[in-house]
Structures are given as structure tokens and as C-alpha cells.
Amino acid sequence: MAAEIVNPRSDSGTDHGGDSDLVDSFDPAFALHRGGKMAVQATVPVRDKDDLSLAYTPGVAKVCSAIAERPELVHDYTWKSNVVAVVTDGTAVLGLGDIGAEASLPVMEGKAILFKQFGGVDAVPIALATTDADEIVETVVRLAPSFGGVNLEDISAPRCFEIERKLQERLDIPVFHDDQHGTAVVTLAALRNAAKLTGRTLGELRAVISGAGAAGVAIAKFLLEAGLGDVAVADRKGIVSRDRDDLTPVKRELAELTNKAGISGSLEAALEGADVFIGVSGGTVPEPAVASMAPNAFVFAMANPNPEVHPDVAHKYAAVVATGRSDYPNQINNVLAFPGIFAGALQVRASRITEGMKIAAADALADVVGDELSADYVIPSPFDERVAPAVTAAVAAAARAEGVARS
């Protein structure tokens, strides 16, 4: 079976009932979502009894017996080698927050069709009726035999860190929390090119991140792993620093890894003289704080729909401006990363996704820009057909180099 990118809603266009005052039948978003955004499609014909005898009994018994004898054959004779579970508990959905499992399904369906459209990877939305971390882990572990990988989606921090870690420990397939690592990969790619454009290296840059949730923590760790000079992370109470006594375990670990400059106090104070602002929190950064940044600064304001710094303001002071929106240049969009990362990992049957594989993905993304590099083009478009093949190949090669590939 394959997840076909179709909308199976009724051709009649009639109202099937159940609509409320919240639903505008003339809104194209509701029209598109009617009946869901995906379906399951057979990849083999079942036209007659001969087809049936091969696709199902008795022919299928031979394949089952072979897999029972040699479990690794499951990758060759089922869809496992090219299908990902997109798992959520509905607690951190887009900018909507904790809206529940059922309300998250349109987003999970959307994620699944992006896997197919941009990476050729089949994906199944799975929305769980629990927010207990251990229950989520146990459920996914029991579902895992059906899938080649697990993409965790829209699970709130700090539980998302624990859930990912425990699943990685218990499963021998890639487990990837896209809100953390997909964002980090695309951010690194854009930052590499911005630094190149202005004649600097990552090691020369000091960054400030607004937001100490899933994305902020992952970006900070990943940029340091890639060689960033220094980074300070701010939450609602200011800079995450060792002198604070109100930090969660995740933030205490972050305080040990970041902020070499020893900055304390507010986000605005940390921005003075900083080379990079990365926003993954919402809120608004005052214009004077942006103006206080170093010359040739970079502003990556990624909150949607309202960036932390409006691009018109950012352009007054920054050499490179990026957002999370598609209507401005330099969109930091996870779809540039996760389809190719999973496609590469699945291609070589990787047991996990390593830091090296993620850095390879970021480097491949940055390289797609090539000689076209400019202030308005430090990251390629999701619709650039070079993106997914480049990321897939780089991730597969890195998996082999790091010894996690099994084919």
C-alpha cells in the first residue's frame, strides 16, 4: 500500500451534515480538507482470482514464512522500508497549542503528504489519546514493527525530549522529533550561507535564541555541535544561565552548554553586539534591541504568522533576514529537511539518525544554493527539485560513514 496524495471527498459537493458555525463552507481551506487530504492506494492489481491468490492467500503465506525465518526480509517484501509513522499527542500543534489528538489530525495528514510529495516516503498519521510520556513510548514501541521510522510531531516540551530519548534507546529504527531537529537543520543551512555571504565562519558568530522550548534547545545544541562560536538562549524569564535557580533539568543542561560569555538578564541585553538573532518563541523584539546588534547581523525571526521582528524592521539593521513565512525570502521551512533525511535513512536502513547525518543534511541544503547566494537567497525553496535528492544522498552517505547503515 502507499499513501496516495489525493482528496477522497465526495464529488457531489453536498453538505454531509455536522457543520457548525465554526465552518465556512465557502472557505477554500475547509473545501480542501473535506474528507481528509490522503487515502491508501494499492501498488499491485487485484483484478481476478490469480491476482488475489498472489496478493493474499495462498501466495502471501510463502512471504510470511520467509520473513518468519529471516526477519530482515520484511524490508524487501513489505512497505516497512519506505513508511514512517507520524506520531503526535496534540499538545503543541502549530501555534494553536494543546488542542488534542483529533484536532491535530489535519496537521498530521498534511505532514504525511509532505513526506510523500517532497521525499517519496509514505507516512501514516497517528494521533494518540494520551499525553503520558511513558504511555506514548510504550504505544509507539508496540506499533514500531509496521514502520521503518518514527517522526514525532507537535509534542510539547519538556516531554518531547524524554519521549524521543526513550524511543531511541528502545528502537532500532530512526526516531526523529522534527520540531527539534528539522528546524535546527534548516537553520544551520541558512546560517552557513549567511556567514559565507558576509565573509565569516560559524566560529566567529555569537547568537541569541528567543525560546527555550523544543526548537530553541535543539537549535542551540546543534549549532554548537556544528562549530558556532557562542549562543545564549532566552526563555520568558530571561537568559538561561547558571546563576538561575528556577531552571528545569533540560534548561540546566542547556545552561552548562551555552552562554560562554556569561550573559544574564534580558533577551534585549543579550542582543547588544550579537551577530545572530534566532526567534522560535513568538512575542516581539523591540526595534532598539535589533538596532543594537553587531554590523552585518542576521535576523532569523521564525514565529508564524507574526515574526518576532517584522522583516521591514529587520532589514534596517541586518545583512540577512529570514522568517518562517512563505511570502518573504529565506523561509526556514522544515519541509526542506525531514523528507530527505528520512528518505536517506530509510534508503540504507539506518538504525538511527545521528548528529553527523543531520549536519550532512544541513550542508547539502546550503550547497544547493551554490553560486546563486545572495542576501535574499541563503536557503533554497521547498519546491526546488534539487533539494530532496541532495539531502537524501548526503544523509545516506553519512549513515554509511558513521556505521549506522544496514544496507
Side-chain angles (χ1 to χ4, degrees):
M1 297 292 188
E4 183 189 13
I5 306 171
V6 299
N7 188 332
R9 58 188 178 273
S10 170
D11 292 334
S12 67
T14 58
D15 188 347
H16 297 281
D19 288 352
S20 71
D21 292 340
L22 296 173
V23 175
D24 180 355
S25 59
F26 296 102
D27 187 317
F30 283 103
L32 182 141
H33 282 78
R34 168 73 73 181
K37 299 192 292 288
M38 56 185 294
V40 174
Q41 179 185 33
T43 60
V44 297
V46 185
R47 299 162 299 195
D48 52 38
K49 66 181 182 63
D50 291 332
D51 289 345
L52 183 60
S53 69
L54 289 173
Y56 202 55
T57 184
V60 73
K62 299 178 183 178
V63 180
C64 293
S65 298
I67 294 171
E69 289 290 323
R70 292 176 54 197
E72 70 274 13
L73 292 178
V74 71
H75 295 282
D76 297 309
Y77 294 103
T78 72
W79 77 341
K80 182 181 175 79
S81 63
N82 196 55
V83 66
V84 170
V86 180
V87 178
T88 190
D89 64 358
T91 55
V93 181
L94 300 177
L96 303 173
D98 185 356
I99 61 173
E102 289 182 330
S104 76
L105 272 174
V107 177
M108 300 310 116
E109 288 182 6
K111 196 77 171 193
I113 66 174
L114 294 180
F115 265 109
K116 187 67 172 179
Q117 181 72 32
F118 292 101
V121 173
D122 291 317
V124 178
I126 298 175
L128 301 179
T130 179
T131 60
D132 181 87
D134 287 333
E135 288 184 359
I136 292 170
V137 170
E138 292 300 327
T139 302
V140 175
V141 167
R142 283 159 175 73
L143 290 170
S146 296
F147 299 97
V150 175
N151 184 89
L152 300 174
E153 190 75 19
D154 292 350
I155 298 173
S156 63
R159 296 172 311 111
C160 60
F161 304 113
E162 175 190 0
I163 290 166
E164 183 186 48
R165 176 180 56 79
K166 288 182 175 179
L167 286 173
Q168 287 171 338
E169 290 171 353
R170 294 184 59 179
L171 298 177
D172 65 348
I173 58 176
V175 177
F176 186 85
H177 185 208
D178 184 52
D179 300 324
Q180 293 183 59
H181 310 301
T183 308
V185 165
V186 184
T187 300
L188 175 58
L191 190 57
R192 280 203 190 283
N193 275 339
K196 180 180 178 181
L197 183 68
T198 56
R200 290 176 284 179
T201 65
L202 289 181
E204 298 175 78
L205 302 176
R206 179 173 71 85
V208 177
I209 297 175
S210 175
V217 171
I219 292 169
K221 291 181 176 180
F222 190 56
L223 293 183
L224 290 173
E225 180 78 18
L228 186 72
D230 192 16
V231 58
V233 183
D235 62 11
R236 290 183 180 87
K237 297 181 179 179
I239 297 300
V240 175
S241 57
R242 296 179 183 180
D243 60 355
R244 283 178 50 180
D245 59 7
D246 61 345
L247 300 179
T248 64
V250 170
K251 291 180 183 179
R252 280 200 300 271
E253 179 191 7
L254 190 64
E256 294 296 324
L257 297 172
T258 61
N259 196 16
K260 297 174 187 175
I263 300 169
S264 58
S266 68
L267 169 73
E268 290 80 3
L271 280 175
E272 185 173 354
D275 302 291
V276 186
F277 168 76
I278 297 170
V280 284
S281 67
T284 301
V285 177
E287 183 170 344
V290 182
S292 75
M293 295 177 69
N296 289 319
F298 313 141
V299 172
F300 293 0
M302 296 186 281
N304 266 318
N306 300 311
E308 293 89 348
V309 182
H310 192 280
D312 292 344
V313 173
H315 277 297
K316 295 180 183 179
Y317 311 103
V320 176
V321 177
T323 72
R325 291 174 51 147
S326 60
D327 53 348
Y328 290 102
N330 297 325
Q331 184 189 19
I332 307 293
N333 191 330
N334 290 10
V335 77
L336 288 162
F338 69 81
I341 289 174
F342 268 100
L346 293 173
Q347 185 181 96
V348 298
R349 298 179 188 171
S351 58
R352 58 193 177 94
I353 294 172
T354 66
E355 292 300 297
M357 292 161 71
K358 291 184 283 185
I359 288 175
D363 290 347
L365 264 179
D367 289 345
V368 168
V369 171
D371 294 337
E372 301 171 72
L373 180 63
S374 70
D376 282 342
Y377 187 53
V378 297
I379 196 74
S381 162
F383 296 99
D384 188 323
E385 294 181 355
R386 299 171 295 174
V387 167
V391 173
T392 299
V395 169
R400 292 190 177 101
E402 299 208 337
V404 298
R406 291 177 288 195
S407 71

